[in-house]
Amino acid sequence: MHIALDIYSPIHQITDPLFEVKGIEVFIKRDDMIHPLISGNKWRKLKYVLQKAQSENKTHLVTFGGAYSNHLLATAAAAARFGFKSTGFVRGEDVQNDTLFMCRLHGMELIFTDRDSYRDKPTLFNKYFGTDTDAFFIDEGGASPEAATGCSELVSELTETYNHLFCACGTGTTAAGIINGIHQHQLNTRFNAVPVFKNGGFIKDEIDKYVTTPVDYYLHLDYHFGGYAKTTPELIGFIKQFVAKTGILIEPVYTAKMLYALYDLAAKNYFKPGDKVLAIHTGGIWGLMGMKDRF
Ligand SMILES: *Cc1c(COP(=O)(O)O)cnc(C)c1O
């Protein structure tokens, strides 16, 4: 089976009195619309990884993630879609939640793993699947050069030039791919990365692992809201307002933090009048379901 999806990721304008006052235009690229579960950047990251697995005649995808991992869910759904078997090593004790339910529904076998042994993924893989010649190792979050290549293709889909591009960062692979795309197309676009971790400065090293030509980009380190998957009433309030005003669903772990940064920077005159700004909606809205109690 040929591994490809017809990409549907339109660009929508977001209007807001703040943007009018500042004289800027803000748009959002709806990678969340690529697929309900193989969402956003996770499809872009998996595409060439899966093609590589197929070219090596591997039929069993083995990967890793936390109990709410969008990557696990995307891998489970993609495996089902493209005819692979799948196994997910889940960090921590045996739990049940909506994400893992959906993984299982798509046929993924789950192996719960204590935090210590989870750290050494190649050893885990070898212990369980060292003799399984069908098994294909996919790192946590899908981080790999193939993943960065998939993400760089986002830039080829742009038909206009933007002064700024904004994207949330976990492993930084998506950011690196987009930075490479901006460079390949020689765009005069400033890339703005919003790490979702506390002390996210380390993400620069992660991004630079996959950046093919050194270029300048900006890290905005003050929008982590306490750390990975942490929220504050302010962030939740922002999400409620944004969803009700735009009809675009966002989740608290990634896209909400990135958009909060964009609005806050606009208020602080980070942009010049006339600027066109593009935010990337990286998807993952299924993650909202595990956080309903915070709203
Ligand atoms: C995984 C994920 C990210 C982070 O992507 P990286 O390539 O790891 O930086 C961003 N947004 C969403 C919704 C995700 O699921």
Side-chain angles (χ1 to χ4, degrees):
M1 192 187 316
H2 184 56
I3 296 171
L5 291 176
D6 295 325
I7 293 265
Y8 180 65
S9 172
I11 289 175
H12 293 153
Q13 185 163 12
I14 305 172
T15 55
D16 192 281
L18 170 66
F19 303 151
E20 255 170 66
V21 169
K22 302 295 179 185
I24 62 173
E25 286 184 295
V26 177
F27 302 85
I28 186 162
K29 183 153 171 62
R30 301 291 308 275
D31 266 12
D32 56 312
M33 296 176 85
I34 290 177
H35 186 280
L37 300 173
I38 318 173
S39 84
N41 65 336
K42 295 302 183 284
W43 164 246
R44 296 190 187 278
K45 290 174 78 170
L46 280 170
K47 180 179 164 189
Y48 291 110
V49 174
L50 266 52
Q51 288 186 5
K52 185 170 179 224
Q54 190 181 49
S55 74
E56 294 175 13
N57 293 318
K58 306 289 187 184
T59 54
H60 178 192
L61 307 178
V62 179
T63 195
F64 307 82
Y68 291 95
S69 164
N70 292 330
H71 165 72
L72 270 190
L73 179 51
T75 306
R81 173 74 176 73
F82 297 111
F84 294 93
K85 200 175 135 184
S86 67
T87 298
F89 285 96
V90 186
R91 185 182 59 240
E93 63 283 6
D94 195 335
V95 289
Q96 272 299 344
N97 66 37
D98 295 337
T99 300
L100 298 178
F101 162 73
M102 291 297 272
C103 287
R104 282 201 178 95
L105 189 59
H106 285 81
M108 180 176 262
E109 183 129 6
L110 301 178
I111 303 175
F112 292 90
T113 313
D114 69 80
R115 280 152 208 277
D116 268 345
S117 27
Y118 184 85
R119 261 179 222 118
D120 189 354
K121 296 172 186 71
T123 298
L124 263 183
F125 178 85
N126 285 330
K127 183 173 159 199
Y128 284 83
F129 303 110
T131 58
D132 177 353
T133 52
D134 295 331
F136 186 79
F137 176 96
I138 303 177
D139 209 346
E140 181 172 34
S144 59
E146 289 80 13
T149 303
C151 293
S152 72
E153 293 180 349
L154 180 150
V155 181
S156 325
E157 295 162 24
L158 305 180
T159 54
E160 294 199 40
T161 307
Y162 300 88
N163 304 89
H164 290 270
L165 225 143
F166 273 73
C167 185
C169 282
T171 63
T173 313
T174 304
I178 295 173
I179 290 165
N180 291 340
I182 290 173
H183 182 75
Q184 280 152 19
H185 292 269
Q186 305 200 314
L187 301 181
N188 192 10
T189 301
R190 179 191 288 188
F191 186 79
N192 296 266
V194 181
V196 299
F197 296 97
K198 211 183 219 166
N199 307 320
F202 72 88
I203 204 75
K204 188 167 189 322
D205 294 336
E206 297 302 310
I207 294 176
D208 289 347
K209 270 187 205 164
Y210 298 115
V211 166
T212 46
T213 314
V215 282
D216 278 342
Y217 55 88
Y218 284 68
L219 289 181
H220 300 284
L221 299 177
D222 299 330
Y223 298 99
H224 55 75
F225 293 87
Y228 183 73
K230 297 279 198 311
T231 58
T232 65
E234 203 183 355
L235 183 68
I236 299 296
F238 172 79
I239 294 171
K240 286 181 178 168
Q241 260 202 340
F242 181 85
V243 175
K245 267 171 47 181
T246 63
I248 299 170
L249 200 52
I250 54 173
E251 48 66 55
V253 183
Y254 295 103
T255 301
K257 291 182 182 179
M258 178 276 294
L259 284 172
Y260 188 103
L262 193 162
Y263 277 70
D264 192 54
L265 290 164
K268 291 174 175 160
N269 297 318
Y270 177 74
F271 305 109
K272 290 194 307 293
D275 273 356
K276 284 172 106 171
V277 182
L278 180 67
I280 311 298
H281 191 322
T282 40
I285 42 187
W286 190 258
L288 254 180
M289 294 300 122
M291 296 183 149
K292 292 196 289 277
D293 55 341
R294 303 191 198 180
F295 281 74

